[in-house]
Amino acid sequence: MVTIAEPVTKPGSRFRYILDRRGTLGAVFVAPAILYVLLLVGGPFLLAVYYSVSAYTIYDPSWRFVGLANFAQIVKNPVFLETLGNTFLFTFGSQLLGLILGKFGAFLLMRPFAGRKIVRALIILPWAVPIALASVAWEWMFDSLYSVINWSMIALGIINRSDAPNWLGNPHLAMLCVIIVNAWRFFPFAIVIFLAGITSVPQDIIDAATVDGAGFWRRNYQIVLPLILPIVAVGLIFGIVFTFTDLSIVYLLTNGGPVNATSVLGFRGFQVGIVSGDVSHGAAISLFMLPVLLIVVIVVLRFIRRREV
Amino acid sequence: MQRVVTNVAGQVGFYLAIAFFVVVTTFPFYWMLITSFKSNPDLYDVTNVPFWFNEAPTLEHFRYLFEQTLFARWLLNSLVIGLCVVAITLIVALPAGYSLARLTGRNGEALGIGIFLTYLVPPTLLFLPLSRIIANLGLQNSMWSLVLVYPTFTIPFCTWLLMGFFKALPPEIEEAAIVDGCSMFGAFVRMVIPLSLPAILTTVIFTFTLTLQEFVYALTFISSSAQKPITLGVATDLVRGDIFFWGEIMAGALIASVPVAIAYNLLLDRFITGITGGAVK
């Protein structure tokens, strides 16, 4: 058994002294994480900001400062304005659809029934599976010729083969498709978030409200919903951030088309910055995501603060 | 009597609604499954009923996938990338989480939140500068670029997750070890790590599935087929010109999705606690 006094005389005690100081060890332990994040998130982020105000392309890597000229050029471009509109439509359309489905699904899953665990596991699938692979499956379901959706509608007599919709080829339908696929991907997450919130509401609060004569809807909207709002907000924030900035669904399903109808910010930044090699314009396009992200981060921080108080 | 009828109708409605949700969420996976076992003549005949086999099921697509494409290579790449990222993440996030929970006092909380917020910085904001950095490091078109970059989101997430876990661990355990003569570092290595095995396992599985789900960085950094991870390979490489090899694509998607889906399902509750940061309590 080692005694407390012994280490002082031991060789290598200076090293041990470092590892024994709470503050020093704490700093040594957390430093690699902070370094990694600073070097590969913070650094590139500043670099992206610099690219957006310079004339950098992969063919001419010039660091020449051009001020806000890139931004001025971008906002004049009608395709970009369309892209910006699409991004909002895509994000809020799919989040709204996802929230409605999520609330409804959570409501169903709250009730105990035989096989609930299996049902929950199956409902979670879209969110667990890599979205790129799920998108490819949807692409096949929306196929212009072999679409199973069209086949079913024809079999049910809803439409004729001649006027079967070309899901990904029609601008409006293509937008609807990417929204549906994204809502499909996120609503299981919304269900789980709602469930986690609802199960955290103490039963006696609900009982007390029932005794006081509050009906089902009143209990639901005036008692449960305000109580679970913080957790729902956190979930929604994740949904918004990951949807607003995503490009994989659009890239795989529609490739931004037809005629830019489904082009979103992330996708356009990729097209301009990587495919065309115009790094500075690409960075400027990507940076248009920043205000939305900032608002979201502020909301997160406010919720975390409020929780501490 | 009327009450019984409404009750039965309610039950039927309830199960119909449940069935609707299950069909909506699982149909694309059923579609992968059935497509991957269908023969091509069956697949590409619009008069056939698509929901079931009109001709005998075949393993042709799976054989083609493993013999004629780089599918096995992509699987291996994903495995190597995943394992390396898991190793880096554990080495960095384990001490960081512990430090933020126990050693850094009041600043730890703010620092922890700061690190976690970087998880919200999207790849689509960073891929341009990172692709230049990758090119300068000579890692362009190599799967090692992903090993370098993936920890940018796994470290914040796992540090946060582990921080929550360490906070819940009673500090008396380390205190006892220190009284017995362990250094603080020794107490961490000898007492805390063995006690955290469940949390470490969770971290390993999450890190691995997060790397499998990533698509944007892989798409940006890698164009040569032999270096692609599985998601990118299946989604972009099984198209020749304008022809999609749907049977092969669906077979590949199926093989790659099933393990991820199972792993995720097992750890779902922990994931939720992780990202909501204990907002539930």
Side-chain angles (χ1 to χ4, degrees):
Chain A
M1 183 64 76
V2 188
T3 62
I4 301 170
E6 204 181 2
V8 185
T9 52
K10 241 176 151 179
S13 63
R14 190 170 297 162
F15 186 58
R16 177 157 184 168
Y17 177 73
I18 291 172
L19 294 183
D20 238 351
R21 293 276 297 239
R22 190 167 277 267
T24 322
L25 185 68
V28 170
F29 265 20
V30 82
I34 292 179
L35 267 179
Y36 215 111
V37 166
L38 282 181
L39 283 179
L40 285 168
V41 180
F45 175 75
L46 294 178
L47 208 54
V49 174
Y50 193 77
Y51 283 150
S52 70
V53 292
S54 70
Y56 193 101
T57 67
I58 52 167
Y59 314 105
D60 171 26
S62 139
W63 292 93
R64 194 163 49 83
F65 179 77
V66 296
L68 296 176
N70 294 327
F71 290 96
Q73 276 166 8
I74 286 167
V75 294
K76 271 190 219 134
N77 187 341
V79 173
F80 173 76
L81 294 179
E82 203 186 342
T83 297
L84 200 60
N86 287 342
T87 314
F88 278 96
L89 183 61
F90 173 60
T91 306
F92 293 103
S94 58
Q95 290 306 308
L96 188 67
L97 188 60
L99 270 184
I100 294 169
L101 284 171
K103 179 80 173 64
F104 191 60
F107 189 66
L108 291 173
L109 279 180
M110 250 161 60
R111 223 165 100 177
F113 59 92
R116 189 169 82 163
K117 277 213 154 129
I118 297 166
V119 168
R120 195 184 86 145
L122 290 176
I123 285 184
I124 236 61
L125 277 178
W127 185 52
V129 150
I131 185 59
L133 300 176
S135 297
V136 179
W138 278 96
E139 190 184 2
W140 173 220
M141 285 165 56
F142 288 133
D143 189 89
S144 53
L145 194 54
Y146 303 104
S147 165
V148 61
I149 302 166
N150 289 359
W151 191 93
S152 307
M153 289 204 291
I154 293 165
L156 290 170
I158 301 171
I159 51 166
N160 283 320
R161 175 151 292 285
S162 52
D163 49 42
N166 180 0
W167 293 101
L168 302 173
N170 170 312
H172 298 294
L173 289 180
M175 184 42 111
L176 186 68
C177 289
V178 291
I179 287 177
I180 286 176
V181 173
N182 198 55
W184 173 84
R185 192 240 175 136
F186 269 111
F187 90 86
F189 176 63
I191 290 185
V192 177
I193 291 277
F194 275 120
L195 276 180
I198 291 166
T199 47
S200 74
V201 175
Q203 187 59 39
D204 43 321
I205 295 181
I206 295 169
D207 291 343
T210 317
V211 170
D212 288 345
F216 171 79
W217 294 107
R218 215 182 146 99
R219 282 204 307 267
N220 214 353
Y221 284 98
Q222 292 196 326
I223 293 152
V224 176
L225 205 60
L227 281 171
I228 66 172
L229 203 61
I231 183 170
V232 172
V234 172
L236 188 62
I237 279 158
F238 274 85
I240 291 174
V241 168
F242 291 135
T243 306
F244 198 77
T245 62
D246 186 47
L247 65 79
S248 39
I249 294 178
V250 163
Y251 179 86
L252 290 167
L253 273 187
T254 63
N255 205 23
V259 223
N260 301 317
T262 56
S263 165
V264 290
L265 280 175
F267 175 78
R268 184 119 185 104
F270 176 80
Q271 286 292 320
V272 173
I274 300 287
V275 179
S276 317
D278 186 352
V279 179
S280 51
H281 282 92
I285 290 169
S286 296
L287 280 178
F288 269 85
M289 297 189 283
L290 203 58
V292 171
L293 294 179
L294 278 181
I295 292 169
V296 162
V297 164
I298 290 165
V299 174
V300 175
L301 286 176
R302 274 194 55 189
F303 272 114
I304 292 171
R305 286 269 156 71
R306 194 178 293 171
R307 185 164 58 87
E308 278 178 354
V309 172
Chain B
M1 186 61 197
Q2 204 181 349
R3 212 195 166 110
V4 175
V5 173
T6 30
N7 224 336
V8 169
Q11 283 287 326
V12 171
F14 175 75
Y15 283 106
L16 276 180
I18 293 272
F20 165 78
F21 271 96
V22 172
V23 168
V24 166
T25 53
T26 55
F27 187 76
F29 302 104
Y30 173 72
W31 206 232
M32 283 182 195
L33 185 74
I34 194 133
T35 304
S36 55
F37 288 104
K38 266 191 189 181
S39 65
N40 275 332
D42 190 1
L43 217 47
Y44 300 120
D45 182 344
V46 287
T47 57
N48 277 348
V49 179
F51 296 100
W52 196 238
F53 296 103
N54 302 281
E55 288 172 39
T58 169
L59 284 171
E60 198 46 49
H61 302 307
F62 288 91
R63 197 173 302 132
Y64 183 91
L65 201 59
F66 280 100
E67 286 171 4
Q68 307 290 320
T69 74
L70 290 166
F71 187 76
R73 177 68 199 257
W74 301 330
L75 268 178
L76 183 70
N77 288 352
S78 275
L79 188 71
V80 172
I81 295 168
L83 289 178
C84 292
V85 175
V86 164
I88 295 173
T89 307
L90 272 187
I91 291 169
V92 175
L94 205 57
Y98 181 73
S99 169
L100 294 174
R102 285 288 161 80
L103 304 172
T104 41
R106 186 102 190 96
N107 297 330
E109 185 83 10
L111 211 55
I113 292 170
I115 290 180
F116 180 65
L117 283 179
T118 60
Y119 180 68
L120 289 172
V121 179
T124 36
L125 204 62
L126 301 176
F127 64 62
L128 279 167
L130 282 174
S131 77
R132 302 317 305 152
I133 293 170
I134 296 289
N136 287 336
L137 291 173
L139 289 174
Q140 215 165 13
N141 239 334
S142 147
M143 63 186 215
W144 300 109
S145 62
L146 301 181
V147 172
L148 181 72
V149 167
Y150 284 174
T152 55
F153 54 86
T154 60
I155 287 175
F157 183 77
C158 294
T159 302
W160 182 256
L161 203 71
L162 287 164
M163 184 174 107
F165 176 83
F166 288 134
K167 273 189 178 161
L169 208 67
E172 286 79 17
I173 296 161
E174 299 120 88
E175 277 159 19
I178 290 165
V179 168
D180 282 351
C182 263
S183 66
M184 207 165 268
F185 180 74
F188 172 69
V189 172
R190 279 191 232 164
M191 305 300 297
V192 178
I193 288 184
L195 281 170
S196 324
L197 280 179
I200 292 173
L201 191 66
T202 308
T203 311
V204 167
I205 296 175
F206 270 135
T207 306
F208 200 84
T209 48
L210 284 175
T211 64
L212 277 173
Q213 288 173 326
E214 211 285 327
F215 181 73
V216 174
Y217 286 136
L219 176 71
T220 312
F221 301 156
I222 295 175
S223 52
S224 76
S225 294
Q227 295 287 319
K228 287 181 177 177
I230 184 95
T231 7
L232 184 66
V234 169
T236 62
D237 242 44
L238 297 175
V239 186
R240 297 272 178 281
D242 263 351
I243 302 160
F244 287 75
F245 287 65
W246 285 115
E248 284 74 20
I249 295 174
M250 292 297 111
L254 192 71
I255 295 173
S257 337
V258 170
V260 187
I262 293 172
Y264 233 71
N265 251 313
L266 291 176
L267 297 173
L268 188 68
D269 296 315
R270 265 187 204 232
F271 186 88
I272 298 302
T273 325
I275 65 159
T276 54
V280 191
K281 278 164 200 160

